[in-house]
Amino acid sequence: MTPADIAAAETILGVTFTIDERALMLDNLEAQIIRARVRRGVDLGDAPPASTFDPRLPGFVMPQGTGMLRLLPVDAPLPDDDDDIAFAPVTHLAHWIRQGALTSARLVEIYLARIARLNPTLNAWATVTPDIARAEAEVVDALTREGVSLGPLHGVPYGLKDLFDTKGVTTGWGAEPYADRVPDTDATIVGKLRRAGAVLLGKTTLGALAYGDLWYGGRTRNPWNPEEGSSGSSAGSASATAAGLCAFAIGTETLGSIVSPSQRCGTTGLRPTFGRVSRAGAMPLAWSLDKVGPICRTVADTGLVLSVLNGGDTADRGSIAAPFHWDASKPLAGLRLGYLPEAFGGGATDLDRTALNTAKSLGLETVELTLPDLPYESLTNVLFAEAAAAFENLTLSGRDDELTWQDAPAWPNAFRKARFLSAVDHVQLDRLRYRVMQAVDALFRDCDVVIGPMGTANMLTATNFTGHPCLHLRSGFDRLATRPPGALGSSAGPARPTDGTLHRVPHGISLWGGLFNEGPMLSVGQALEAAFDVHHIRPEI
């Protein structure tokens, strides 16, 4: 080790020391490196960090309520057409099954037929499990005939993002090194869904290691324009739900992976409060950021599915036991809707501004908000470091070269670069994160729900790091050329060169709510869904 080595490292770390200071460091740098190498020689297995993230600031009071879900009644009759049944809301499907008008077995066959016909185009399923689906449907239907219901999702078929363990079924994480991985146990939420009566159709695709929409089976496609990807990383969950290949699907979000494919595919995605849903048995990408939530076709469906997923779990160190309550029949009177004016400025679309005006027309008290000027994007280095730690063995073994990337080296390269991030800077990032938590908390002192475009005014980044919930729903349609591959599904940005063809594609708006207080956000979302009246329009695929 020489002073010249230290000087070269300073360039990478963005710091500067004097010649004398470099000389002083030589006596202990070797020992520091040795300690690091000794630690790398220990296989940490699936051990999580000892420190856990808690989104609750001092003085936080858990929202009070009945701890129950109350949805609007369903009175629609069962359609004759199989496609109409396939696209029906979960609330309707569950109602028809309970009433005996529809069997789970018939619904499973409807979806399996659609998967066989459309998945070769969409590439939204990593593994289809027809035997499991038919067996589970048979059990559910037998119980229905006996007058027994397992729960609110009794007989409803769903897709599961392929980073959740399923006993005896490949869980490949979208990445070549793990393509043959077969777990021995189920993830916690798999058991929850089964006990609530949900029927597993199979595993939906994700971008490799939860990045984008490219996986070892190719690119997952947007049903509204199959020439472009569905965005990610919950790529298959959004594509399959939008195309009517399942009743709903489960996604995860670390930094946009539920809301972004929902924006691209026109689905309704709910990212719950950090800690509300167990991640036990899920691939860890970033322990302090990963969140689990439903991707559906209606707001009510997301609330219904979340009521099943909700609950504390000692197997997940980040889990927080919290009641979930939403009364969908409760009027909006008294709710305050906040917005950041700059979010609807030059970077916004006419559809975004129309969505804000529609929200204002609901009779809510509207409040202009301001976020402090903080380096929010700097927080993404936390994500890179946690992800690099989660996949350290992949990087240091050289197996990261097995992943194929058509667009960019993505995670493997980010993992490598994260090795050069300063530990001191990371402690400071943790302190910055606390400042951001205080800033976002202040927003919800002045309002109950915030509205804005998905990726503007720092809300996507800020709220993922603070743990606040987000609901993204379709607000209208745009006509756009095929968009380039990328991790985020924003309608903004340059299109790749094409023949000039414009495609009718969905556009959405985001709502954010207070910690563990998704109810008001869902109520505003349900009212907006009715006002927009576009959620029922299907892709022509």
Side-chain angles (χ1 to χ4, degrees), residues 14 62 77 85 108 206 242 245 297 300 312 323 404 406 418 425 457:
M62 187 67 72
I85 295 173
V108 163
L206 70 153
L245 306 188
R297 290 185 288 268
T404 55
Q406 296 176 11
D425 283 330

Side-chain angles (χ1 to χ4, degrees), residues 72-394:
L72 299 177
V74 176
D75 57 9
L78 178 71
D80 294 326
D81 184 75
D82 282 356
D83 288 351
D84 292 338
I85 295 173
F87 279 96
V90 173
T91 51
H92 290 52
L93 295 172
H95 171 77
W96 294 328
I97 291 172
R98 282 195 303 270
Q99 297 300 312
L102 175 67
T103 64
S104 180
R106 179 186 173 192
L107 190 53
V108 163
E109 295 304 328
I110 288 173
Y111 285 128
L112 289 177
R114 291 183 62 82
I115 291 170
R117 187 168 78 251
L118 298 176
N119 194 57
T121 298
L122 297 178
N123 200 20
W125 294 85
T127 304
V128 183
T129 55
D131 292 342
I132 291 175
R134 287 172 176 138
E136 291 183 348
E138 182 179 349
V139 170
V140 167
D141 286 338
L143 291 172
T144 303
R145 290 190 294 270
E146 296 172 4
V148 176
S149 174
L150 290 176
L153 297 175
H154 186 85
V156 178
Y158 76 102
L160 182 68
K161 187 174 181 178
D162 195 34
L163 55 66
F164 290 99
D165 284 352
T166 40
K167 182 178 180 179
V169 178
T170 301
T171 302
W173 300 351
E176 286 87 346
Y178 308 99
D180 297 322
R181 182 179 175 276
V182 180
D184 296 325
T185 58
D186 287 328
T188 292
I189 67 161
V190 174
K192 278 180 172 275
L193 289 163
R194 184 183 297 116
R195 289 189 294 273
V199 173
L200 179 66
L201 283 171
K203 311 296 288 294
T204 52
T205 61
L206 70 153
L209 303 181
Y211 181 97
D213 49 31
L214 183 65
W215 61 294
Y216 56 76
R219 189 177 302 283
T220 301
R221 301 290 172 175
N222 177 9
W224 300 88
N225 174 15
E227 293 180 16
E228 67 183 11
S230 65
S231 181
S233 68
S234 302
S237 292
S239 178
T241 302
L245 306 188
C246 55
F248 70 93
I250 302 299
T252 64
E253 175 153 329
T254 306
L255 185 59
S257 289
I258 287 176
V259 299
S260 180
S262 290
Q263 164 83 340
R264 179 65 62 92
C265 298
T267 49
T268 305
L270 174 57
R271 182 191 81 212
T273 302
F274 177 89
R276 181 181 280 288
V277 180
S278 172
R279 304 164 302 175
M283 182 203 86
L285 181 64
W287 293 276
S288 77
L289 286 161
D290 296 341
K291 297 161 286 282
V292 180
I295 294 179
C296 303
R297 290 185 288 268
T298 71
V299 172
D301 286 357
T302 65
L304 177 60
V305 177
L306 181 57
S307 72
V308 172
L309 299 177
N310 180 63
D313 182 12
T314 56
D316 176 1
R317 282 179 52 81
S319 177
I320 298 171
F324 171 67
H325 42 84
W326 176 41
D327 185 351
S329 64
K330 187 176 180 179
L332 299 181
L335 292 181
R336 299 164 299 167
L337 181 72
Y339 68 97
L340 299 159
E342 65 269 29
F344 295 92
T349 68
D350 289 341
L351 284 167
D352 295 327
R353 286 181 278 271
T354 298
L356 176 61
N357 291 332
T358 302
K360 290 180 176 180
S361 72
L362 298 177
L364 299 163
E365 177 188 350
T366 55
V367 183
E368 290 191 6
L369 304 172
T370 303
L371 264 179
D373 185 14
L374 294 170
Y376 298 94
E377 283 301 313
S378 295
L379 290 173
T380 57
N381 282 345
V382 174
L383 166 57
F384 297 146
E386 289 194 35
F391 288 98
E392 179 179 66
N393 290 339
L394 185 69

